[in-house]
Amino acid sequence: MSDIKNSSENTIEIEGLTKKFKNLVAVDHLNLTVKKGSVFGFLGPNGAGKTTTLRLLMGLARSTSGTARILGRDIHNNMLSIRKRIGYLPDVPALYGWMTAKEYLTFVGELFNIEQSELDQRVGSLLEFADLRGVKTKIGGYSRGMKQRLGLVQSLVNQPEVLFLDEPTSALDPIGRKEVLDMIESLAEETTVFFSTHILSDVERVCDTVAILNKGRLMTESNLAELKSRYAQPVFLMEFDSEYSAFKKRLQGFSWVLGIEQEANKLKIRVDDAKFGQMELPRLLAQTGVLLRSFEIIEPTLEEIFVQVVEEK
């Protein structure tokens, strides 16, 4: 039995979810919980099993074993009712190129049987949100960024309680990526967002909780601050106003110094204990008479953590 407990605080609860394709295990006994109102980063390299997991959660594929609950309902028995309360943006949204954005959003709303006066108001708000109000061009003439923004707001037409996003920024240029991330960020707390991606910087910017998947297996799951704390390898960045080769040579003789990187008048020093490093480094500086310009502790990036998690397991 899993230790996952059904709770009104959890929007998504995944228990032992597994999907096999002949000899390939795409998703391997996955256990996850996603809290209500969070922006949950589902992170992994291409081929890790992220899209397969999303397809299972959306009812677009059937699991080999295990189950999941969305909004307290089992996905195997309640998918029709679940779909009324969720939104989904695939990596390449299928849009009708002969429609305008307003026509397309209206069409989507009619599929949900939204009353016309309410739908008109909702479509207007969504066009404003996507910065597409007043755009008369047919969708076929849109840029990739415009299509992605439209795809995102179409997933919001039914005012979903949970929003599933599959690589929403992977094919966008920097401006398009920023626009979509700004939209996702503004949804925080109003909607639970399950954000699947391999772009580490996107997760670091908008997500509060992260799960790292590799070869179908869950490597780790934690809020971002705890993850950085758990895998943080203390790094000090020191910039000098004088020649510092004697100081660098002294450092190379200590076992608590795990690595030294040099760039121009800077040293990046990895140590095994942050507090010890804060005490020892200034003392050694004073002994060698080196003039220091700046001294700071650097947080690990999500990319560094990702590499460390995957390599250790």
Side-chain angles (χ1 to χ4, degrees):
M1 291 292 290
S2 168
D3 60 357
I4 294 178
K5 296 181 180 178
N6 192 7
S7 167
S8 59
E9 294 182 358
N10 296 330
T11 300
I12 303 170
E13 297 167 317
I14 301 173
E15 186 173 355
L17 199 64
T18 301
K19 180 63 176 178
K20 297 180 180 179
F21 298 97
K22 295 184 179 179
N23 296 326
L24 173 67
V25 182
V27 180
D28 190 359
H29 295 88
L30 181 63
N31 292 321
L32 277 181
T33 58
V34 179
K35 292 189 177 298
K36 183 178 181 181
S38 69
V39 181
F40 188 91
F42 195 48
L43 180 63
N46 290 327
K50 303 186 303 297
T51 295
T52 300
T53 301
L54 277 177
R55 288 178 55 81
L56 295 174
L57 294 176
M58 295 296 302
L60 301 176
R62 186 83 177 181
S63 64
T64 305
S65 61
T67 189
R69 291 178 292 276
I70 299 175
L71 299 167
R73 299 188 177 192
D74 184 274
I75 61 171
H76 292 148
N77 302 315
N78 302 282
M79 186 47 68
L80 287 179
S81 62
I82 289 172
R83 283 178 178 159
K84 296 177 182 178
R85 303 170 64 188
I86 63 177
Y88 175 50
L89 175 63
D91 56 345
V92 181
L95 307 171
Y96 297 128
W98 63 88
M99 291 183 173
T100 64
K102 182 177 181 180
E103 290 170 341
Y104 180 69
L105 294 180
T106 300
F107 167 71
V108 173
E110 289 170 350
L111 294 178
F112 283 102
N113 295 316
I114 301 172
E115 196 273 327
Q116 192 61 50
S117 61
E118 181 183 352
L119 179 57
D120 290 342
Q121 183 178 1
R122 200 175 294 183
V123 166
S125 297
L126 291 172
L127 288 172
E128 187 74 32
F129 183 46
D131 196 24
L132 294 172
R133 184 186 283 276
V135 176
K136 304 300 183 183
T137 307
K138 302 291 186 181
I139 295 169
Y142 280 13
S143 67
R144 181 63 196 266
M146 293 170 71
K147 289 179 179 178
Q148 205 70 357
R149 297 200 309 272
L150 178 59
L152 180 56
V153 293
Q154 69 80 24
S155 69
L156 301 173
V157 168
N158 61 323
Q159 295 183 331
E161 296 167 69
V162 189
L163 180 61
F164 292 96
L165 306 176
D166 188 9
E167 302 281 2
T169 64
S170 61
L172 299 179
D173 61 25
I175 293 175
R177 175 174 290 132
K178 180 182 183 303
E179 291 169 344
V180 171
L181 289 175
D182 285 346
M183 293 173 70
I184 295 171
E185 198 168 22
S186 69
L187 296 172
E189 297 185 2
E190 295 181 12
T191 304
T192 302
V193 180
F194 192 93
F195 181 12
S196 170
T197 185
H198 69 279
I199 302 175
L200 303 170
S201 59
D202 289 357
V203 171
E204 200 156 18
R205 174 178 163 182
V206 302
C207 297
D208 50 63
T209 310
V210 174
I212 297 178
L213 195 72
N214 190 41
K215 297 180 181 178
R217 295 176 55 240
L218 180 66
M219 300 288 99
T220 189
E221 176 191 4
S222 177
N223 73 54
L224 202 50
E226 288 177 357
L227 193 65
K228 286 186 174 183
S229 175
R230 189 190 315 162
Y231 288 94
Q233 206 172 52
V235 177
F236 294 90
L237 181 63
M238 307 180 76
E239 186 175 6
F240 303 95
D241 269 336
S242 65
E243 209 282 327
Y244 58 87
S245 58
F247 173 69
K248 180 183 176 183
K249 188 174 182 180
R250 286 285 305 274
L251 289 178
Q252 291 170 335
F254 295 108
S255 60
W256 52 271
V257 177
L258 303 179
I260 303 173
E261 296 178 31
Q262 181 176 342
E263 182 182 342
N265 63 333
K266 298 178 182 178
L267 286 180
K268 184 183 287 187
I269 305 160
R270 291 187 298 111
V271 302
D272 61 6
D273 186 301
K275 289 184 179 179
F276 187 77
Q278 284 177 289
M279 292 186 296
E280 284 297 297
L281 290 173
R283 185 180 68 81
L284 292 170
L285 275 171
Q287 289 178 356
T288 53
V290 176
L291 296 178
L292 186 66
R293 177 179 295 178
S294 64
F295 179 64
E296 62 178 306
I297 301 177
I298 304 174
E299 276 195 346
T301 65
L302 191 55
E303 182 176 0
E304 291 168 333
I305 292 171
F306 176 80
V307 171
Q308 187 178 345
V309 169
V310 171
E311 286 182 350
E312 76 176 16
K313 297 186 180 184

